[in-house]
């Protein structure tokens, strides 16, 4: 049996990455790829890497997707997913949204960070946060997946086992992240053109980035606290195409040790295929995860300051977006979780 899928927003970076991964998936067949700009054009005209493919872009049309597909990936700018998710879910199509629209469980946080009321609050109860290493059981039965953001993936995966194990405090957490330029999408925008961002490293939105409430939400859930937690999240733009590095500082709790950190990671990720824990004291490196669905995590402890120092790297377009989305599709349809991803 092959699962028939649509990629809505297939002409963007995460859409292209989905097509790259789906091309080597034996049990998923791409039926519909949408782009308003390239409607009617063969995919290989836009992305020559798909030379030989019969696929053509079409303008997004819910009826066509509902008639032809079992699942739809939404790789659209935030704020648009509801328009597709509502009718597709009604028609029995499973929806995997890569945008931010269904990630926050709190409508007031959505209003605060996105500047408008959530367009479909009833769907938030249905949405499952698409991080398989933490929500695999819920993903199995989900109809709507809210794929995590790229920065949140790179910070929640390393932090969660330590928060869950009480090895670190929920207070005073600092996440400093660096992202490659594809994180901003495939569009022409002055700060992201080559001469503007090459040979330069720059922090931006050191307070109030839209990924902040998502990281706080999932770190609080991992710690098992029923109150909000407040962290500092400082993103940086770095002149590489792909990749995120997050360095996370956390206050060690009494009794925390490198051995206990190692065993918390072994318990959480020992059997996981896409999380690699480095030997104690090593730091992760983006070049070992580029074009892969892996998150690589390093851990350190500084007894002088009592800080746990985590480093974590992912490819923003793979584990940070389309790879993780495909991992969710595999789980939802009972396929091998690694299909198309190894
Ligand atoms: N880039 C990353 O590293 C990354 C990581 C995690 C999550 N995400 C999220 O994934 C989503 C897509 O990101 P991206 O970087 O792939 O964006 P992108 O490169 O800008 O691509 C956006 C896609 O959406 C289509 N689109 C735009 N407006 C549309 C509309 N009104 N109706 C229908 N289609 C529309 C575009 O094609 P046409 O204009 O031709 O229709 C294009 O195919 C975003 O929500 C982003 O936040 C991105």
């Amino acid at each position: 049996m092959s699962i028939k899928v649509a990629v809505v927003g297939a002409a963007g970076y995460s859409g292209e990455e989905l097509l790259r991964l789906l091309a080597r998936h034996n049990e998923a067949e791409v039926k519909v790829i949408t782009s308003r700009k390239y409607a009617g054009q063969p995919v290989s005209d836009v992305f020559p890497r798909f030379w030989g493919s019969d696929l053509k872009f079409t303008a997004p049309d819910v009826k066509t997707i509902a008639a032809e597909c079992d699942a739809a990936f939404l790789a659209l700018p935030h704020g648009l997913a509801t328009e597709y998710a509502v009718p597709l879910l009604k028609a029995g199509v499973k929806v995997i949204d890569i945008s931010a629209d269904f990630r926050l469980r709190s409508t007031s946080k959505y209003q605060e960070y996105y500047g408008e009321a959530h367009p479909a609050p009833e769907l938030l109860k249905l949405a499952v946060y698409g991080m398989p290493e933490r929500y695999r059981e819920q993903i199995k039965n989900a109809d709507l997946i809210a794929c995590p953001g790229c920065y949140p993936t790179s910070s929640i995966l390393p932090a969660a086992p330590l928060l869950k194990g009480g090895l670190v405090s929920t207070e005073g957490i600092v996440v400093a992240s660096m992202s490659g330029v594809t994180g901003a999408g495939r569009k022409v925008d002055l700060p992201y053109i080559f001469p503007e961002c090459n040979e330069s490293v720059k922090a931006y939105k050191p307070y109030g980035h839209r990924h902040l409430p998502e990281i706080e939400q999932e770190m609080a859930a991992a710690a098992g606290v029923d109150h909000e937690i407040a962290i500092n999240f400082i993103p940086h733009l770095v002149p590489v195409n792909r990749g995120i590095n997050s360095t996370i500082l956390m206050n060690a709790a009494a009794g925390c040790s490198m051995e206990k950190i190692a065993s918390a990671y072994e318990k959480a990720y020992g059997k996981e295929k896409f999380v690699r824990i480095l030997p104690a004291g090593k730091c992760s490196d983006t070049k070992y995860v580029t074009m892969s669905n892996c998150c690589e995590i390093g851990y350190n402890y500084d007894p002088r300051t009592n800080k746990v120092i985590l480093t974590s790297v992912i490819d923003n377009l793979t584990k940070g977006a389309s790879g993780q989305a495909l991992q969710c599709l595999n789980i939802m349809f009972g396929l091998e979780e690694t299909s198309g991803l190894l």
Side-chain angles (χ1 to χ4, degrees):
M1 183 188 73
S2 90
I3 309 300
K4 296 179 176 47
V5 303
V7 179
V8 184
Y13 283 142
S14 51
E16 180 192 10
E17 178 70 353
L18 270 167
L19 297 181
R20 180 180 79 83
L21 297 170
L22 286 161
R24 58 191 194 190
H25 196 299
N26 294 328
E27 292 157 293
E29 185 187 354
V30 181
K31 296 294 279 184
V32 178
I33 61 171
T34 83
S35 161
R36 297 161 309 160
K37 189 169 168 195
Y38 300 112
Q41 292 193 41
V43 65
S44 55
D45 278 9
V46 179
F47 300 123
R49 70 154 86 225
F50 300 120
W51 186 80
S53 165
D54 294 335
L55 283 171
K56 273 189 181 173
F57 288 105
T58 54
D61 176 50
V62 165
K63 279 197 183 127
T64 310
I65 298 168
E68 297 194 23
C69 299
D70 306 303
F73 294 98
L74 306 182
L76 300 166
H78 79 265
L80 297 172
T82 303
E83 199 182 307
Y84 295 89
V86 170
L88 288 172
L89 288 167
K90 218 169 172 183
V93 178
K94 292 189 186 260
V95 173
I96 303 173
D97 179 31
I98 299 181
S99 84
D101 288 10
F102 303 112
R103 294 176 193 158
L104 297 180
R105 286 187 270 279
S106 154
T107 49
S108 61
K109 286 281 175 203
Y110 185 92
Q111 168 92 48
E112 183 182 341
Y113 282 85
Y114 290 88
E116 56 192 6
H118 194 282
E122 69 285 0
L123 289 190
L124 296 179
K125 289 187 203 83
L126 207 66
V128 172
Y129 194 66
M131 184 174 277
E133 294 77 8
R134 292 192 38 72
Y135 295 102
R136 184 170 284 113
E137 287 310 308
Q138 295 92 319
I139 292 168
K140 281 181 186 165
N141 300 314
D143 291 321
L144 172 61
I145 297 290
C147 291
C150 46
Y151 285 129
T153 298
S154 73
S155 44
I156 294 159
L157 282 173
L162 309 193
L163 288 162
K164 186 175 178 197
L167 296 175
V168 289
S169 167
T170 54
E171 284 178 22
I173 298 172
V174 178
V175 179
S177 298
M178 286 171 255
S179 173
V181 187
T182 53
R186 190 167 178 255
K187 58 179 182 288
V188 180
D189 198 1
L190 191 61
Y192 306 109
I193 67 170
F194 185 80
E196 296 295 323
C197 60
N198 189 41
E199 299 293 343
S200 149
V201 175
K202 180 181 165 193
Y204 65 100
K205 284 236 167 124
Y207 168 71
H209 189 281
R210 284 171 168 167
H211 286 174
L212 175 64
E214 184 184 337
I215 299 172
E216 290 177 339
Q217 167 185 289
E218 292 304 314
M219 286 198 183
V225 296
D226 54 11
H227 57 80
E228 285 186 19
I229 66 170
I231 70 160
N232 287 107
F233 167 57
I234 308 108
H236 299 70
L237 185 69
V238 293
V240 295
N241 282 346
R242 303 167 71 119
I244 286 186
N245 176 94
S246 288
T247 302
I248 303 158
L249 293 181
M250 306 172 103
N251 292 315
C256 177
S257 65
M258 291 290 263
E259 291 72 28
K260 284 188 180 164
I261 294 173
S263 81
Y265 280 141
E266 175 58 28
K267 194 169 163 203
Y269 300 135
K271 295 198 175 84
E272 292 295 342
K273 295 281 198 304
F274 298 118
V275 181
R276 181 162 66 234
I277 306 298
L278 294 175
K282 300 264 185 212
C283 292
S284 50
D285 188 330
T286 56
K287 69 171 169 276
Y288 300 120
V289 296
T290 304
M291 312 286 275
S292 92
N293 197 47
C294 197
C295 175
E296 182 181 272
I297 296 169
Y299 61 96
N300 284 270
Y301 171 64
D302 183 347
R304 298 166 319 119
T305 55
N306 197 36
K307 297 276 189 220
V308 171
I309 305 160
L310 307 176
T311 63
S312 159
V313 293
I314 57 168
D315 185 318
N316 54 297
L317 292 176
T318 319
K319 187 61 173 165
S322 307
Q324 189 150 242
L326 182 54
Q327 201 181 339
C328 290
L329 177 100
N330 290 337
I331 296 168
M332 291 163 94
F333 286 90
L335 309 177
E336 186 60 48
E337 192 170 322
T338 55
S339 288
L341 294 169
L342 286 180

